[in-house]
Amino acid sequence: MDIHEYQAKEILASFGVAIPPGALAYSPEQAAYRARELGGDRWIVKAQVHAGGRGKAGGVKLCDSDHEIMEATEAMFGQKLVTHQTGAEGKGIYRVYVEGAVPIAREIYLGFVLDRGSQRVMIVASSEGGMDIEDISAQKPETIVRSAVEPAVGLREFQAREIAFALGIPAPLVQQMVRTLMGCYRAFRDLDATMVEINPLVVTGDSRIMALDAKMTFDDNALFRHPQVSELRDKSQEDPRESRAADRGLSYVGLDGNIGCIVNGAGLAMATMDTIKLAGGEPANFLDIGGGATPERVAKAFRLVMSDKNVRAVLVNIFAGINRCDWVAEGVVQALTAHPVEVPVVVRLAGTNVEEGRRILERSGLPVIAAGSLMDAAQKAVSALADKTPILEKAEAI
Ligand code: GDP
Ligand code: MN
């Protein structure tokens, strides 16, 4: 789960990381009012969306007056911000964060990620802050400092000092840098984050180290033990297909292809996507309906897949262990009877009650394409696409 910049800053500040004074606003009037409350005569207005790259996309504005703040925020509210991280759709701006502007002497990149290879929290830093880490590693790889945290002891101060020295932090500021690194690490570990990124972390004109931007991502599977984090969820920033699925207990990831997949089990879903690729097709989604799927659940899965207008064929692949093929077949029949779909539907069933499942599909008289093996199913889905079967223009939303 991602959170907003202002939320990440609040969390990091509670772990001792210095941030500029700032305040949240839900309207242009409120933004101007909040700026007056903060005091000073220069402010940065920042669109709060779950994506980076806002600066280049017009989501970060330096303002010198109330009037400028009103103007900048009026242009932001209700708009979709498109950055290189949002995709073409963009993300809606419903909140802005107003911060007192800070004079910047130096920009540093600082990131904490979970490195699966070394099974450690990896600290990645660079003296070239402000640029994306992808660009730094392409253009200035020699500036990148990496340091893995030994899990048994956590981040130690000497290690944090080493990072500060490697970044060329002047001696009088090293203690502030150590405090920043220790704070980020503790926030990462205590709250089960998978990513903490501060870009830029700056040295100000008056020699303070401050986080001017902050991003945090959390492990969804650990959210149950951090209610104060899970309440920060902002559904307006999520793919609506994915949050709708999550609310219905389905595990769904939208992809760019055109073959919709309905599968039980994450492993089988992966194998199904691989096989579709092998047969020359492109999956439109990953959808795991889980074990013990009732006909209602299968019908829901169908509606979810069909709400993606790119879907030109559906492949149902069920290996029934805990599941029952007859229930899945009933779900398919229910879904197709209630909301007829104009794209070909290929069904491959195996396992518990497979005979009964096949009979239900045959008896229904629905134009379902039956498949034997997984490869057979994938090939049938791909060639059904090539038949140019009429395309469903506007699919039914759930
Ligand atoms: P991002 O583009 O989404 O990563 O948004 P950032 O929060 O990183 O802001 C983009 C850029 O705006 C930063 O890299 C800074 O150069 C600049 N910026 C942000 N806050 C301030 C500030 O308080 N003072 C000044 N001078 N520049 C700022
Ligand atoms: Mn940034």
Side-chain angles (χ1 to χ4, degrees):
M1 185 185 85
D2 292 331
I3 60 172
H4 287 292
E5 172 198 1
Y6 76 94
Q7 296 166 332
K9 278 181 168 161
E10 206 167 289
I11 290 175
L12 293 174
S14 73
F15 283 87
V17 176
I19 57 168
L24 190 70
Y26 292 92
S27 71
E29 294 73 20
Q30 199 178 26
Y33 178 78
R34 300 294 259 164
R36 244 174 290 138
E37 262 183 346
L38 287 170
D41 52 14
R42 290 198 106 184
W43 303 272
I44 302 276
V45 173
K46 308 178 86 176
Q48 296 299 292
V49 294
H50 286 184
R54 295 165 303 165
K56 290 189 196 109
V60 178
K61 289 269 161 65
L62 184 67
C63 300
D64 290 317
S65 66
D66 276 24
H67 179 70
E68 276 183 38
I69 290 176
M70 295 280 279
E71 228 173 47
T73 50
E74 264 162 22
M76 287 180 190
F77 274 110
Q79 298 301 308
K80 296 248 174 181
L81 187 68
V82 179
T83 82
H84 68 278
Q85 291 187 1
T86 58
E89 290 269 293
K91 301 224 161 167
I93 304 173
Y94 305 106
R95 315 171 191 194
V96 301
Y97 190 52
V98 184
E99 258 181 1
V102 169
I104 301 174
R106 254 192 85 177
E107 294 187 305
I108 293 160
Y109 173 91
L110 179 60
F112 289 68
V113 288
L114 203 60
D115 178 41
R116 289 169 203 279
S118 62
Q119 304 179 12
R120 302 255 184 299
V121 174
M122 185 69 78
I123 303 174
V124 182
S126 162
S127 50
E128 299 297 308
M131 286 161 80
D132 283 345
I133 188 65
E134 292 82 5
D135 296 336
I136 299 175
S137 65
Q139 294 162 29
K140 302 253 180 153
E142 70 284 356
T143 67
I144 296 179
V145 177
R146 283 190 186 79
S147 187
V149 181
E150 171 58 49
V153 292
L155 180 63
R156 312 307 298 186
E157 296 217 351
F158 77 86
Q159 190 181 356
R161 274 196 298 276
E162 252 170 27
I163 297 167
F165 290 133
L167 290 169
I169 301 289
L173 300 186
V174 166
Q175 202 40 47
Q176 282 187 56
M177 187 65 191
V178 169
R179 188 176 156 84
T180 305
L181 287 161
M182 300 298 286
C184 290
Y185 174 73
R186 279 192 205 110
F188 187 108
R189 187 200 53 196
D190 290 1
L191 300 176
D192 290 307
T194 54
M195 200 263 300
V196 172
E197 185 186 62
I198 301 183
N199 188 23
L201 177 72
V202 301
V203 179
T204 65
D206 53 357
S207 295
R208 285 177 300 157
I209 292 185
M210 273 190 173
L212 284 206
D213 191 10
K215 251 193 188 167
M216 288 185 85
T217 306
F218 297 90
D219 183 347
D220 291 343
N221 294 317
L223 283 177
F224 71 92
R225 56 183 188 188
H226 304 294
Q228 73 282 31
V229 173
S230 48
E231 74 172 22
L232 302 178
R233 183 167 173 196
D234 181 357
K235 285 193 192 172
S236 77
Q237 301 295 312
E238 296 175 0
D239 181 332
R241 296 174 303 180
E242 291 179 17
S243 39
R244 239 182 296 155
D247 292 344
R248 285 162 177 74
L250 300 166
S251 157
Y252 178 94
V253 180
L255 302 168
D256 300 327
N258 51 18
I259 299 181
C261 305
I262 297 177
V263 184
N264 70 302
L268 190 61
M270 300 280 220
T272 307
M273 294 195 301
D274 282 350
T275 314
I276 288 173
K277 285 266 203 185
L278 197 60
E282 290 290 336
N285 67 279
F286 168 108
L287 173 52
D288 172 11
I289 59 169
T294 58
E296 289 71 28
R297 208 166 147 93
V298 175
K300 263 183 207 163
F302 246 97
R303 290 205 291 282
L304 183 68
V305 167
M306 291 315 301
S307 71
D308 178 348
K309 59 184 184 312
N310 294 324
V311 168
R312 307 271 156 106
V314 177
L315 198 171
V316 180
N317 182 24
I318 301 294
F319 185 88
I322 307 169
N323 278 302
R324 292 170 41 179
C325 288
D326 52 332
W327 277 19
V328 172
E330 266 172 35
V332 172
V333 172
Q334 233 179 59
L336 296 185
T337 312
H339 304 272
V341 299
E342 292 174 35
V343 301
V345 176
V346 179
V347 180
R348 182 235 174 187
L349 298 174
T352 310
N353 294 358
V354 63
E355 294 307 328
E356 180 59 15
R358 290 197 183 132
R359 261 199 302 278
I360 291 171
L361 289 178
E362 271 163 34
R363 267 205 309 263
S364 73
L366 290 164
V368 171
I369 304 168
S373 68
L374 175 48
M375 195 61 201
D376 180 41
Q379 280 165 346
K380 280 180 170 153
V382 173
S383 51
L385 273 179
D387 285 346
K388 300 222 166 42
T389 314
I391 293 153
L392 185 79
E393 278 308 330
K394 229 179 136 12
E396 202 93 26
I398 291 184

